[in-house]
Amino acid sequence: MKVLLVEPPVSPFDVPTGNAMLPPAHHLERLAGTILQNHDVEIIDMRIDRTEKDLTERINSLQPDVVGTSSVAANSGLTKHILSITKRLNPEIKTVVGGHHPSLYPQDFDDKYVDYVVIGEGEITFPELLRSIETNDSIDSVLGVAYKDSDGLKYNGLRPVMKNLDNLAMPAWHLTQKYRAKNLYFRLAWRPIDLTFSSRGCNNACDFCGNWKMWQKTYRFRKPHDVVRELSLIPAKHVIIVDDNTLDSRDSFKLAELIESAGLNKSLQIYGRAKKVADDPKLVEKWKKAGMETLLIGLESIDKDRLKQMRKNTTPEINDKAIKVCKDLGVQISSYFIVNPNFTKGDFDRLSNYIFEKKLNHPVFTILVPFPGTDLYSKVKNEITVKSFNLFDYFHSVLEPKLGLEKFYQEFGKLYSRHYPFSIKNFALSLTSPGVANPFKNIRGVYRVKKGLKNLYKHHQEQGVMTTGPAGGLITPFKGMVTDTA
């Protein structure tokens, strides 16, 4: 069969994506790799080819039997719009949606334009679903799928997660070569970038996170040699290992050792928990030798009670120790902090002062959002103030802030202004930063993010709903299509 996989456009309310970062559609590339032997597959990245005309031309050219797409909460309206266009062009095309949001909240896709929802890992489920579609067999036996019947979505049983991650197909990088050839995938100064992973799952169960639920409370690992082999086939110098916690992997030290001995000369960005960093400095040092240029740590809060409420399994003291370990080793930290809607002016000031005190050069501030399907969502869903999922990202508050929306966003924006000022020093650093293909693009990206922060309150005034533009214009959700009520 002919299969078109679609990466949806960036939400019109998304601040960092497309400005500070645009990673490859790795999940679709890897999914494509699992079905290439039996199907004719293409990928369109609508974060780049953004218009209805682009999609229409691709569908008319390929004449696909199946169109599949992914979704997060914030672009679920866009995803549905893509599938509505697909059905309008040819009602016989089968439409499939999967990814983070459909896996945690599949009921949002009880929609007339959606034929099937893939819940959880797709590497086994999606090929089985395609086989059933192709042979007209019953879908009832395909675990991990929800599909329409006369009473709405019918859920098949949950598919257990894969026990063995060692036999996964390689990503079909060639299907996105048109974008890669132009260096369109990047993260800040890193251009081009690529992605891979060494594990799936997490030892934690934070109330604001849905990943551990999607992976069914498991933590699984790829063989280090397989990860190194994949890294050796990636031409890009800069690679993000997208595990939830790369350092916690049982073979993390061995993996770093193999990467170092292979002489791959990669600049790596990985994720690690503060507790692991604090407990195992030698592991952090080994990863630095292997090419780790940036370590992302979710410090989340400087407040003990807030960390406990999040079920973060750390303390301010552990966070401080992790920072010291990285400072002593000369490891660059990208420190993540969650801004709670109940922040006061004093909370904002204390957080800002802490970052200056600890000399954290790359803080990332996000807003606490109760993503559908998380434990946090279950607790506060009756307090949500927006009408759709369009603003369910990391840069909007869907709960009423203690300071009021306008004042809250002003203080949130000041965090970025204080810690990413435009200065001669920062300009010089951007010119000399490793991997900068075009430092002026990097500076422009930071400028656009800061400019976007000024529109956060305006997005609420627009109620998270866009109107349709002229034919062939950018694909944006519109009133008649946005059915994703919160």
Side-chain angles (χ1 to χ4, degrees), residues 150-298:
S150 56
D151 297 321
L153 279 183
K154 180 178 179 180
Y155 296 85
N156 292 347
L158 187 66
R159 181 180 294 278
V161 297
M162 292 182 290
K163 292 182 179 180
N164 188 349
L165 298 177
D166 299 326
N167 298 320
L168 290 172
M170 295 293 288
W173 295 306
H174 65 286
L175 296 181
T176 54
Q177 183 56 30
K178 63 174 285 191
Y179 311 114
R180 292 172 173 278
K182 297 178 181 178
N183 284 351
L184 297 177
Y185 296 130
F186 66 95
R187 184 188 187 276
L188 294 175
W190 286 14
R191 185 189 296 262
I193 62 167
D194 216 321
L195 311 179
T196 188
F197 77 102
S198 67
S199 66
R200 282 181 181 170
C202 182
N203 286 327
N204 281 0
C206 300
D207 73 336
F208 58 85
C209 180
N211 287 351
W212 61 273
K213 287 193 167 188
M214 194 163 83
W215 305 133
Q216 300 177 38
K217 302 180 182 179
T218 63
Y219 194 16
R220 295 156 294 142
F221 317 95
R222 296 176 67 191
K223 288 179 181 176
H225 284 90
D226 288 349
V227 179
V228 173
R229 176 176 172 270
E230 185 172 318
L231 280 170
S232 71
L233 297 174
I234 293 174
K237 177 179 175 60
H238 308 290
V239 181
I240 300 174
I241 301 179
V242 295
D243 312 0
D244 289 319
N245 292 299
T246 307
L247 295 182
D248 274 52
S249 170
R250 67 187 179 200
D251 294 324
S252 186
F253 193 93
K254 182 178 180 181
L255 175 57
E257 199 169 46
L258 288 174
I259 293 172
E260 181 186 7
S261 62
L264 298 180
N265 192 30
K266 300 290 186 186
S267 294
L268 303 173
Q269 174 186 290
I270 71 171
Y271 295 76
R273 290 188 305 126
K275 190 174 189 311
K276 186 65 175 179
V277 174
D279 290 345
D280 199 346
K282 288 185 178 179
L283 177 61
V284 179
E285 184 178 21
K286 174 56 70 173
W287 270 100
K288 183 185 178 185
K289 290 179 179 178
M292 179 185 68
E293 187 174 307
T294 304
L295 176 60
L296 275 66
I297 307 179

Side-chain angles (χ1 to χ4, degrees), residues 290-343:
M292 179 185 68
E293 187 174 307
T294 304
L295 176 60
L296 275 66
I297 307 179
L299 300 177
E300 314 306 8
S301 179
I302 61 174
D303 182 87
K304 181 178 179 180
D305 290 337
R306 285 195 174 106
L307 288 170
K308 186 176 180 180
Q309 187 178 32
M310 295 176 191
R311 305 200 303 251
K312 186 61 187 173
N313 196 26
T314 188
T315 65
E317 292 76 22
I318 291 173
N319 287 350
D320 288 349
K321 186 177 179 182
I323 292 171
K324 185 177 186 305
V325 166
C326 291
K327 292 285 185 180
D328 290 346
L329 292 172
V331 171
Q332 179 176 282
I333 311 170
S334 184
S335 49
Y336 278 64
F337 293 94
I338 294 177
V339 174
N340 196 301
N342 66 16
F343 263 30

Side-chain angles (χ1 to χ4, degrees), residues 162 181 254 262 326 345 371 423 459 464:
M162 292 182 290
K254 182 178 180 181
C326 291
K345 176 71 163 58
F371 289 100
S423 65
H459 295 163

